[in-house]
Amino acid sequence: RQVSAAAEWAPERWYLALLGFAEHFRTSSPPKIRLCVHCLQAVFQFKPPQRIEARTHLQLGSVLYHHTKNSELARSHLEKAWFISQQVPQFEDVKFEAASILSELFCQQNLVDSAKPLLRKAIQISQQTPYWHCRLLFQLAQLHTLEKDLVSACDLLGVGAEYARVVGSEYTRALFLLSKGMLLLMERKLGEVHPLLTLCGTIVENWQGNPIQKESLRVFFLVLQVTHYLDAGQVKSVKPCLKQLQQCIQTISTLHDDEILPSNPADLFHWLPKEHMCVLVYLVTVMHSMQAGYLEKAQKYTDKALMQLEKLKMLDCSPILSTFQVILLEHIIMCRLVTGHKATALQEISQVCQLCQQSPRLFTNHAAQLHTLLGLYCISVNCMDNAEAQFTTALRLTTHQELWTYIVTNLASVYIREGNRHQELYSLLERINPDHNFPVRRFLRETLKMSNAEDLNRLTACSLVLLGHIFYVLGNHRESNNMVVPAMQLASKIPDMSVQLWSSALLKGISGFALGNTMDAHEAAQMHQNFSQQLLQDHIAACSLPEHNLISWTDGPPPVQIQAQNGPTTSLASLL
């Protein structure tokens, strides 16, 4: 009786008091979620009107979803909020927020087929509410992207771009188009990417609005341009774009976040927080340095990015940060293997394993890359059987054409090194080039020409030393010397330890012939000895680490604990 009397006396007061208590408990340090939930549940004791009932179900569902593991109760409240709010006129925020969070929860429970119709219904009835209509379109497009249904995602982003144009939001139109461009790049639909990026460039330059929003659009646009160039191996051509991107992120870091909200509700979106954009620019710079063969520069930018990520992850649990971290580690691991730091590479592979243990989705997306890196490590320590097993596992796990080709070519190199795998090698080569349409006799000269044109230093160094080796075997020592000396100079600049070792071995052989203008025999032998010793010490250090046992892992999720073993068990002969 007292409850109903109180409700009749002042319906707002009891509600505001309970809401105030709930918010106080939610924002306490640490949050007192159980008490917050009690306060919100108490609202229903007062038999509140539909608006308050729906909003309370939404608040309870949101709190339970974000702060507890009680997903069934969260789902029940969110479904009630969605159902009741559809019966209340002019109640868009509660209605569409309930649909948005409920579909997130469905995805978390692997009920994607429940999330899709819910989002489609919400999109259908939100056309008069620009902010929610755009947000729900983005959300459904993201869901299709996670399912690898990029065609449906692109269609939705196209619908969003047209809707944004109609409601007068050129900013959000650009966001939709840039997102579509990103997916088209992923699908390798390059014919559609060019006109789309040209249109985006025009929209971004012409849009006059919040400076941070404008610069963030420019960063998005330039990141797509840079990755597009890098995908094509155009390391030299990309430099102006990359420089613009780096200047852009410097501009953004000096701008203060403007608290003034846009007048058009459809403009209420941000692509990424400034701090995330900064890490992303470091990441594409690392990708460029890696491809160009500036490995010390790649290492410098990786260190900066990882340091910033560690700071961000203390306050921000956004999954994109772990993705950035894994991609950075994948690049730096390849750098370490090239520069002759196998032990460090192995410890960083172990770090990637740990990150993947924390996120099943991250592991699904990076399992093939992880096994590929382990395969490369196995080659570097001459564990050829393990390398073959790792590459075979990686092939089983990938559908990505470029990664598939990369793995197969590395597997071919394993067969070549083993020397007695001719049949497997020929069948692999058949899979790589079934049409036999390459001018085989001109392979190396063409490679050298292409790599020189785009400043691909590692490719140039490898081509030169291989040509040098061919001339050496043919007995043309002068021509061999002409190839090996620049190969050694380039390899020292990168630095590429394997090419240095290979070049120094050839120079040691060449120096025995009186050609003039060649390295002194003693100096060449000493140089070869130094490189051999460095690699030998690193080899022993790597094989002695407990993480070395990862080379035996070929199935299921990454092993949680790695047992130590007694010293190296692999042959060192091929290294020397």
Side-chain angles (χ1 to χ4, degrees):
R1 277 203 309 273
Q2 284 178 330
V3 166
S4 59
E8 286 167 22
W9 170 59
E12 292 88 7
R13 286 191 186 178
W14 58 262
Y15 176 59
L16 293 174
L18 286 170
L19 210 56
F21 278 127
E23 186 61 7
H24 166 74
F25 291 131
R26 190 184 71 83
T27 55
S28 296
S29 186
K32 297 172 181 172
I33 298 303
R34 195 169 57 83
L35 293 173
C36 169
V37 168
H38 278 323
C39 290
L40 290 170
Q41 282 173 330
V43 170
F44 300 124
Q45 300 294 320
F46 291 86
K47 303 285 187 291
Q50 275 192 319
R51 293 179 85 85
I52 289 177
E53 187 186 0
R55 191 180 293 280
T56 306
H57 279 303
L58 170 61
Q59 287 161 334
L60 272 164
S62 180
V63 167
L64 290 164
Y65 172 63
H66 290 111
H67 298 281
T68 75
K69 291 182 179 174
N70 197 339
S71 51
E72 282 309 311
L73 190 56
R75 175 179 168 176
S76 168
H77 282 295
L78 290 167
E79 284 174 335
K80 285 173 186 168
W82 167 238
F83 176 73
I84 297 165
S85 61
Q86 289 179 75
Q87 301 163 30
V88 180
Q90 307 294 306
F91 210 36
E92 274 69 17
D93 274 2
V94 167
K95 182 164 43 187
F96 299 128
E97 191 172 346
S100 177
I101 299 173
L102 183 54
S103 67
E104 271 182 45
L105 188 147
F106 282 145
C107 290
Q108 194 185 67
Q109 295 181 318
N110 292 321
L111 299 170
V112 175
D113 289 336
S114 299
K116 283 181 195 168
L118 171 63
L119 283 171
R120 285 195 200 103
K121 170 79 186 291
I123 286 166
Q124 188 187 339
I125 61 176
S126 64
Q127 293 194 28
Q128 303 307 311
T129 316
Y131 167 73
W132 277 109
H133 191 65
C134 291
R135 181 168 157 178
L136 293 162
L137 280 166
F138 275 127
Q139 192 171 345
L140 185 53
Q142 184 180 25
L143 197 136
H144 283 302
T145 304
L146 291 172
E147 282 201 298
K148 306 279 191 290
D149 180 3
L150 301 188
V151 174
S152 299
C154 280
D155 289 346
L156 281 164
L157 293 168
V159 169
E162 180 55 23
Y163 176 82
R165 187 190 67 77
V166 169
V167 297
S169 172
E170 286 296 283
Y171 167 76
T172 301
R173 181 187 176 204
L175 275 182
F176 274 115
L177 289 172
L178 288 165
S179 302
K180 184 177 177 180
M182 180 172 67
L183 298 189
L184 290 172
L185 277 174
M186 287 165 66
E187 282 193 287
R188 297 290 182 272
K189 291 189 175 174
L190 304 184
E192 294 178 51
V193 170
H194 293 299
L196 189 73
L197 284 182
T198 306
L199 173 62
C200 288
T202 308
I203 295 170
V204 171
E205 287 313 308
N206 292 340
W207 186 71
Q208 301 301 318
N210 180 315
I212 283 189
Q213 283 183 305
K214 185 176 175 80
E215 290 303 313
S216 74
L217 281 181
R218 195 176 275 145
V219 169
F220 196 171
F221 171 69
L222 288 167
V223 163
L224 293 186
Q225 277 208 312
V226 169
T227 49
H228 186 27
Y229 276 116
L230 292 179
D231 267 356
Q234 295 178 309
V235 166
K236 189 176 182 180
S237 311
V238 78
K239 282 182 180 175
C241 274
L242 185 59
K243 196 171 181 183
Q244 267 185 286
L245 178 59
Q246 289 162 342
Q247 286 167 344
C248 209
I249 202 69
Q250 284 179 331
T251 305
I252 284 189
S253 59
T254 62
L255 294 170
H256 294 292
D257 288 322
D258 206 337
E259 293 301 322
I260 302 165
L261 290 175
S263 54
N264 188 338
D267 285 348
L268 284 165
F269 293 96
H270 270 300
W271 174 49
L272 280 178
K274 278 196 299 189
E275 298 77 15
H276 293 197
M277 279 191 263
C278 188
V279 174
L280 181 58
V281 173
Y282 278 139
L283 175 53
V284 293
T285 305
V286 167
M287 287 164 70
H288 176 261
S289 303
M290 177 88 197
Q291 277 197 31
Y294 304 127
L295 300 195
E296 284 173 351
K297 190 177 175 186
Q299 193 170 321
K300 183 180 87 174
Y301 281 109
T302 300
D303 290 344
K304 284 186 173 185
L306 289 174
M307 206 154 46
Q308 187 144 349
L309 275 170
E310 285 305 320
K311 287 180 193 168
L312 288 172
K313 285 180 88 172
M314 289 176 192
L315 307 165
D316 183 349
C317 58
S318 173
I320 200 170
L321 296 179
S322 293
T323 302
F324 286 161
Q325 194 173 356
V326 166
I327 297 170
L328 280 161
L329 285 167
E330 285 170 353
H331 280 79
I332 201 62
I333 289 160
M334 289 189 281
C335 284
R336 307 276 194 218
L337 292 172
V338 171
T339 57
H341 297 95
K342 297 185 277 288
T344 313
L346 186 55
Q347 288 166 325
E348 285 161 342
I349 289 172
S350 179
Q351 265 184 272
V352 176
C353 287
Q354 286 164 26
L355 286 163
C356 288
Q357 280 164 10
Q358 295 160 22
S359 165
R361 182 179 288 164
L362 202 58
F363 178 60
T364 303
N365 291 336
H366 291 268
Q369 292 91 312
L370 189 45
H371 284 289
T372 304
L373 290 169
L374 277 166
L376 295 173
Y377 166 76
C378 291
I379 289 178
S380 76
V381 291
N382 199 31
C383 296
M384 293 302 161
D385 288 348
N386 296 97
E388 183 180 354
Q390 291 297 338
F391 290 137
T392 306
T393 302
L395 284 175
R396 194 180 73 238
L397 294 169
T398 190
T399 53
H400 192 281
Q401 185 58 46
E402 276 86 350
L403 183 57
W404 182 90
T405 307
Y406 180 74
I407 297 163
V408 167
T409 46
N410 277 288
L411 186 53
S413 81
V414 170
Y415 292 154
I416 290 167
R417 283 168 186 239
E418 289 191 305
N420 57 351
R421 307 289 295 277
H422 302 302
Q423 198 49 53
E424 291 102 321
L425 177 62
Y426 293 136
S427 65
L428 260 190
L429 294 175
E430 189 72 32
R431 288 168 74 190
I432 297 169
N433 181 27
D435 303 326
H436 304 288
N437 54 4
F438 291 133
V440 177
R441 288 162 188 267
R442 297 176 54 212
F443 263 161
L444 276 175
R445 297 227 180 256
E446 281 300 306
T447 303
L448 204 49
K449 196 170 152 187
M450 279 162 36
S451 59
N452 257 330
E454 280 293 341
D455 290 349
L456 295 160
N457 291 332
R458 279 200 68 225
L459 200 50
T460 303
C462 290
S463 305
L464 283 169
V465 74
L466 186 50
L467 271 170
H469 199 137
I470 290 167
F471 285 126
Y472 182 79
V473 170
L474 293 172
N476 189 342
H477 300 116
R478 188 177 298 282
E479 195 60 37
S480 178
N481 188 65
N482 291 344
M483 297 290 151
V484 176
V485 169
M488 176 61 104
Q489 288 166 345
L490 254 185
S492 305
K493 193 170 96 175
I494 291 168
D496 185 324
M497 187 61 81
S498 299
V499 174
Q500 284 176 294
L501 183 71
W502 189 358
S503 302
S504 64
L506 287 169
L507 287 170
K508 190 171 80 165
I510 293 166
S511 64
F513 299 90
L515 299 175
N517 202 22
T518 60
M519 188 177 281
D520 168 76
H522 174 71
E523 187 188 342
Q526 188 59 53
M527 186 189 288
H528 184 66
Q529 176 67 15
N530 291 345
F531 289 133
S532 300
Q533 277 303 113
Q534 275 177 265
L535 279 167
L536 189 59
Q537 285 165 7
D538 184 51
H539 180 105
I540 293 166
C543 294
S544 304
L545 289 169
E547 290 88 347
H548 182 73
N549 281 339
L550 278 169
I551 67 172
S552 306
W553 162 62
T554 54
D555 196 35
V560 178
Q561 281 189 315
I562 303 151
Q563 298 301 315
Q565 65 170 39
N566 302 318
T569 56
T570 61
S571 159
L572 307 179
S574 72
L575 290 171
L576 309 180

